[in-house]
Amino acid sequence: MIIVLKPGASKQEIEHIMEKVTKLGLKPWLSEGVERSIIGVIGPEDALRTVPLEGMAGVEKVLPILKPYKLASLDYQKEPSVIDLGRGVKVGGNKLVSMAGPCSVEGKEMLFTVAESVKKAGATVLRGGAFKPRTSPYTFQGLGEEGLKYLAEARERTGLLVVTELMDVRNTELISRYADIIQVGARNMQNFDLLKELGRIKKPILLKRGIANTIKEFLMSAEYILAGGNPNVILCERGIRTFEDYTRFTLDINAVPAIKSLSHLPIMIDPSHSTGRWGMVNAVSRAAIAAGADGLIIEVHPKPEDAISDGDQSLLPEKFAELMSDCKKIAQAVGRTF
Amino acid sequence: MIIVLKPGASKQEIEHIMEKVTKLGLKPWLSEGVERSIIGVIGPEDALRTVPLEGMAGVEKVLPILKPYKLASLDYQKEPSVIDLGRGVKVGGNKLVSMAGPCSVEGKEMLFTVAESVKKAGATVLRGGAFKPRTSPYTFQGLGEEGLKYLAEARERTGLLVVTELMDVRNTELISRYADIIQVGARNMQNFDLLKELGRIKKPILLKRGIANTIKEFLMSAEYILAGGNPNVILCERGIRTFEDYTRFTLDINAVPAIKSLSHLPIMIDPSHSTGRWGMVNAVSRAAIAAGADGLIIEVHPKPEDAISDGDQSLLPEKFAELMSDCKKIAQAVGRTF
Amino acid sequence: MIIVLKPGASKQEIEHIMEKVTKLGLKPWLSEGVERSIIGVIGPEDALRTVPLEGMAGVEKVLPILKPYKLASLDYQKEPSVIDLGRGVKVGGNKLVSMAGPCSVEGKEMLFTVAESVKKAGATVLRGGAFKPRTSPYTFQGLGEEGLKYLAEARERTGLLVVTELMDVRNTELISRYADIIQVGARNMQNFDLLKELGRIKKPILLKRGIANTIKEFLMSAEYILAGGNPNVILCERGIRTFEDYTRFTLDINAVPAIKSLSHLPIMIDPSHSTGRWGMVNAVSRAAIAAGADGLIIEVHPKPEDAISDGDQSLLPEKFAELMSDCKKIAQAVGRTF
Amino acid sequence: MIIVLKPGASKQEIEHIMEKVTKLGLKPWLSEGVERSIIGVIGPEDALRTVPLEGMAGVEKVLPILKPYKLASLDYQKEPSVIDLGRGVKVGGNKLVSMAGPCSVEGKEMLFTVAESVKKAGATVLRGGAFKPRTSPYTFQGLGEEGLKYLAEARERTGLLVVTELMDVRNTELISRYADIIQVGARNMQNFDLLKELGRIKKPILLKRGIANTIKEFLMSAEYILAGGNPNVILCERGIRTFEDYTRFTLDINAVPAIKSLSHLPIMIDPSHSTGRWGMVNAVSRAAIAAGADGLIIEVHPKPEDAISDGDQSLLPEKFAELMSDCKKIAQAVGRTF
């Protein structure tokens, strides 16, 4: 850590800061420059991270040297994590994963229809929400456990794995019973009690990035789960909030190579929420695979205009099949397969 | 709701949309223009809100006419809500409320010292976190119930009311037992299960705005609590995330008059998180009162450099006393008192 | 245009608005709903666009129906524009365009070296700045006309076309003399006097998106040039400013399919500025081609660590050759060629 | 400057970096830590600022120590700059400045009416655009020199000073002839050729912040003018672009205390553009004065609904008089006067 001093920092102020650092078991050294003097600190930076050095007299700014996450970092593990999702499906390796299904589980028949069609097109995981985070208290909130049962039944019929969202920490056990992969939604990326709970289990977690969270914060949230003892974290970029209002969110495609250069965890893309428009999902999915993403999670609905949620961004099964065919070509061009 | 059609929308497409609207019990009318035709819809817009009209063939865009929140709206209640916090303290009326205290409850003595000093300076509510949302799993997570007990003890000693954050829905009953006002942090503004739980109790809720949530979404989250049956919602603007990185967040001062023109709910400002720098807290607090905010919530620490969290933005008790004195002058200038 | 009235709008207020609309030669109709009444307006919306209807008594909000741009719109021209850059190079068709070269023209030899290497790798246009927009007045501002001469000489040697930035409207004639394509930088996207000047000439214009401008504003700036009489506008997405600070900017990959669905103009991507890190340029270039972009503009420098500007994001010639080879595979996967 | 090395940086890489630094006339020193080694650099940081150290092998990141602006900085001048605008009006001292008038100069009579009314309410400077930056090429672009003449005539009649915008560098001499203060609009904050031109004259410059520019970049643009030899720079915060769409822009009120802590230059606020809604202008103006701003620039129009531009955010003369009366009370509360 480097502490940059104000031009007029007094001798006492400097000594006070150096004492503070020393008391924490670290070794400070002072370097006096013409325009600015600095204090460098040798030793484990974590001890200093919570000390409000910027508030101390004589301090202009503080520059951290180390990354605040460890287990999620490439420094900790050089090889990409390959996470086993069950039934032979893995994410993070050469083979890409396609997760698809309706936004909400709306009914049994509809779910089975979608499940069969996405399976046929090449998906290996079925997505579907049984508990739905909705902006308005007056809209459909999901079928609850009934929806989970339909998902499990769809798994038995098709062999697809099931991913579904856990919103309420009290439902951890319930969701675990039915799902193969537990999704943490963007709104819960910093629901730390939920993350701690998920650190205690071993199920793979699909952790979605918050709409206003940096890549660093994203990896810190992964760190919560890893530090709790669950190494099976799959990251998912799903669009960030910017000033652009033509699309629902802005897909941060940069996040794919950025995360690959910082972490060993797999990174997937959600092109449906990133754009909010079904007509853009194919193009953005191709971009994700080309950039090096490890998979896609896509909303598919047999009759989007009747969907209870997110119909604007849902693909028809035939459009999804087209997308899979297009993305396979891109996968091949980057030396991977679906 | 107005449905704008694409230039080349076919007769069948138009009829299909009109049928869809009619089936929902609404009355559509078609208006054909030279460049664009539109379908207007008469009747309760909510029925249409979840129908993905934008995904339908022939539709260019959909323009909602009504606001999605009702109980939070000025249309529903013209007079400002004045919320009784207990012990004669009210928020939303002519008298302003000052909430102050440490970021985290770190210990008994420290808490009592702060409580007495902020009380003396004019605060009526003591803030302090017993359960802390921390970006890193490796930093101090709060004293838990022990911290709540200290807060309750500080209330008995000073007569101050207590506001503290509820993070985990499983702690609702626990926090309710100790707190006069329950805080929902920015990260939980869209934790809908938590909001539903808080709709079932009657305690005043201090609802903080999410760092990337619009004013409309903020009011929708308030609506969750109101719709559940708890009318005691106090809004709190605490800075939004923007590209500016000199400050921790960007205080959206516009939100004060904006919310006053849309809702009857009281709106407070948190100048500590909004800026992240103690040297800016006084200026921004004055601005908040001048703009018409109903109160302030401020971090105060007897020795900020030893604070376990948020020390950079915490005020010394004497600086807080100065702030209160400065803000009283502004209050007077806008015809209010502290 | 739809004018939504406030719940309590008086009869006089409504009549006053309807008169106002009628005076502008348009036809208003009133539709009275239970919760809100609206006034619809038939006729050319442009007449109303500058009337501050939202400021009028009784008005809650105003919803425009039409797009404010015309010549840039797909409504105006259904077929994609294919723009002839000279020497047989075209942009907007099946064949993709690769523009490459140093950020600044720093010297003759260095420019020739880069030009030859990028030509060999498959680029058809040489980029290089002679006049540089620099955040600091104390840094290198470009070689000026000398730099333009080197660019022209490089063209003669290699057969590459030349694109270079025009910053100062007074240099329009000067730049036109040397460049095949004139670049408008992100900072000048709304320099309307410059845009008007470029509407008067016929040279192809590479118009970069402003870092905080919406897609709609981007197309409006293109409209300025088109309306002036120059149909040769090439759009270029180069990253927008968001809260994410790991990368220099955030590439808005959504903009590619978005613009394809709104406009007939070609859209290119600048992966160098979008990321600010050379290690991410290849991944993001692949994504751009996969999403349907019409070309790339990339910074290449023979010795990035000696570059006077943007060295952090410049590729070595051999890395650029690798990128071209990777992108050709993606191009093939989407049915296009370089 | 601190250069943080990658964990595996080789001996050769480190030596190469140290040589590079030494060649630039600076003195590097290596400090080897357990997790990361760093290279500190002593001497004038500017020499290194343009060297792309982050692109060099073995480098993880680079942390600058010094601020990139000098003349604009509080380090350079401790006392606030008080800028003489002429006719006894000064900005930056204890007395606040109120600039008011129509968005565009639309006609003679209208301008005189506004001028007289704002003068009566306490304004000392008349604002009005003769050349207007408009998003659409199809809307009113200003009266040009005719507008400037009306402004000059209004000055003679009322004694008000005149501020008007310079958009096109070719009009510098023209605008200088008529205006007392030259405004640089938000879109031109990084039009460096324009800034250089304004560094050559001595007229006071009202420099508006770009909608997506940081405070640091804002001060760098001021530095361009100062470095050119013109010390008369007045900063103006006018709202930044964020995700919030209820208001036209988001006023960054934090910028007032931030700039006061970084620079000696005066800072004004434009509440009209910051909000885009006339009903919010009074509240936000009060906030600005309370936060310590040195003045206001406000749009006033005798009949906003007939305004050719920005009518939604223009105040009626009587509302402006009310605002001045309200702001005088706030000014008094912070120990200043209008």
Side-chain angles (χ1 to χ4, degrees), chain A residues 118-138:
Chain A
V118 302
K119 159 103 185 176
K120 206 177 139 198
T124 47
V125 182
L126 177 66
R127 61 150 291 154
F131 297 89
K132 296 300 303 173
R134 302 303 301 274
T135 309
S136 166
Y138 307 122

Side-chain angles (χ1 to χ4, degrees), chain C residues 185-300:
Chain C
R187 293 180 183 87
N188 279 319
M189 193 201 87
Q190 292 195 318
N191 183 334
F192 301 118
D193 291 297
L194 192 66
L195 301 179
K196 283 179 195 168
E197 212 61 53
L198 296 174
R200 289 190 195 105
I201 61 177
K202 290 282 173 271
K203 286 257 161 154
I205 308 301
L206 183 73
L207 178 67
K208 291 194 147 187
R209 180 178 179 186
I211 60 170
N213 288 110
T214 60
I215 291 169
K216 191 168 84 178
E217 289 168 343
F218 193 15
L219 292 173
M220 287 305 288
S221 285
E223 188 83 8
Y224 257 94
I225 303 173
L226 300 171
N230 183 351
N232 301 310
V233 178
I234 308 153
L235 303 172
C236 181
E237 156 67 33
R238 43 76 73 216
I240 57 173
R241 185 159 270 182
T242 69
F243 62 84
E244 178 56 62
D245 58 2
Y246 180 72
T247 47
R248 192 169 171 192
F249 293 97
T250 298
L251 174 64
D252 182 5
I253 192 79
N254 288 355
V256 177
I259 284 171
K260 289 288 176 199
S261 73
L262 294 170
S263 178
H264 53 87
L265 297 173
I267 168 81
M268 295 184 59
I269 294 285
D270 172 346
S272 308
H273 285 88
S274 295
T275 60
R277 295 172 171 266
W278 70 261
M280 291 168 62
V281 169
N282 191 322
V284 159
S285 297
R286 296 190 315 255
I289 301 307
D294 296 301
L296 301 167
I297 177 162
I298 293 178
E299 291 187 359
V300 177

Side-chain angles (χ1 to χ4, degrees), chain B residues 248-273:
Chain B
R248 192 168 170 192
F249 292 98
T250 298
L251 174 64
D252 183 5
I253 192 79
N254 288 356
V256 177
I259 284 171
K260 289 289 175 197
S261 74
L262 294 170
S263 178
H264 53 88
L265 297 172
I267 168 82
M268 296 185 55
I269 294 286
D270 172 345
S272 308
H273 285 88

Side-chain angles (χ1 to χ4, degrees), chain A residues 52-283:
Chain A
L53 296 161
E54 295 213 339
M56 290 179 74
V59 175
E60 185 167 288
K61 61 178 171 182
V62 173
L63 306 167
I65 301 293
L66 301 178
K67 298 189 186 95
Y69 46 87
K70 291 173 207 315
L71 306 177
S73 148
L74 262 194
D75 294 353
Y76 177 79
Q77 181 187 315
K78 293 263 171 277
E79 291 306 303
S81 284
V82 178
I83 295 170
D84 196 336
L85 306 177
R87 302 193 180 209
V89 182
K90 287 174 183 166
V91 64
N94 198 61
K95 206 164 153 52
L96 300 165
V97 171
S98 170
M99 305 182 175
C103 176
S104 311
V105 177
E106 294 164 12
K108 210 173 186 164
E109 290 318 310
M110 162 275 197
L111 186 68
F112 295 168
T113 311
V114 175
E116 269 146 33
S117 71
V118 302
K119 159 103 185 176
K120 206 177 139 198
T124 47
V125 182
L126 177 66
R127 61 150 291 154
F131 297 89
K132 296 300 303 173
R134 302 303 301 274
T135 309
S136 166
Y138 307 122
T139 50
F140 178 63
Q141 310 268 323
L143 291 181
E145 188 168 1
E146 194 189 339
L148 296 175
K149 284 181 182 158
Y150 296 163
L151 284 166
E153 214 174 316
R155 172 174 46 209
E156 293 328 304
R157 278 172 169 249
T158 58
L160 290 169
L161 297 167
V162 163
V163 60
T164 197
E165 180 168 352
L166 169 64
M167 285 172 64
D168 185 334
V169 71
R170 295 169 300 189
N171 289 335
T172 312
E173 199 274 325
L174 176 71
I175 301 278
S176 297
R177 229 183 306 141
Y178 292 98
D180 300 293
I181 304 148
I182 299 178
Q183 177 178 319
V184 177
R187 293 180 182 85
N188 279 319
M189 193 202 88
Q190 293 195 319
N191 183 335
F192 301 118
D193 290 296
L194 192 66
L195 300 180
K196 283 179 195 168
E197 212 62 51
L198 296 174
R200 288 188 197 108
I201 61 177
K202 290 282 172 273
K203 286 256 160 153
I205 308 301
L206 183 73
L207 178 66
K208 290 195 147 187
R209 179 178 179 186
I211 60 170
N213 289 110
T214 61
I215 290 169
K216 192 168 84 179
E217 289 167 343
F218 194 14
L219 292 172
M220 287 305 289
S221 285
E223 188 83 9
Y224 257 93
I225 303 172
L226 299 172
N230 183 351
N232 300 311
V233 179
I234 308 154
L235 303 171
C236 181
E237 157 67 31
R238 44 77 72 218
I240 57 173
R241 187 159 268 182
T242 69
F243 62 84
E244 178 57 61
D245 58 2
Y246 180 73
T247 48
R248 192 169 171 192
F249 293 98
T250 298
L251 174 64
D252 182 5
I253 193 78
N254 288 354
V256 177
I259 284 171
K260 290 287 176 199
S261 73
L262 294 169
S263 177
H264 53 87
L265 297 172
I267 169 80
M268 294 184 58
I269 295 285
D270 172 345
S272 307
H273 285 88
S274 295
T275 59
R277 293 171 173 266
W278 69 262
M280 291 168 61
V281 169
N282 190 323

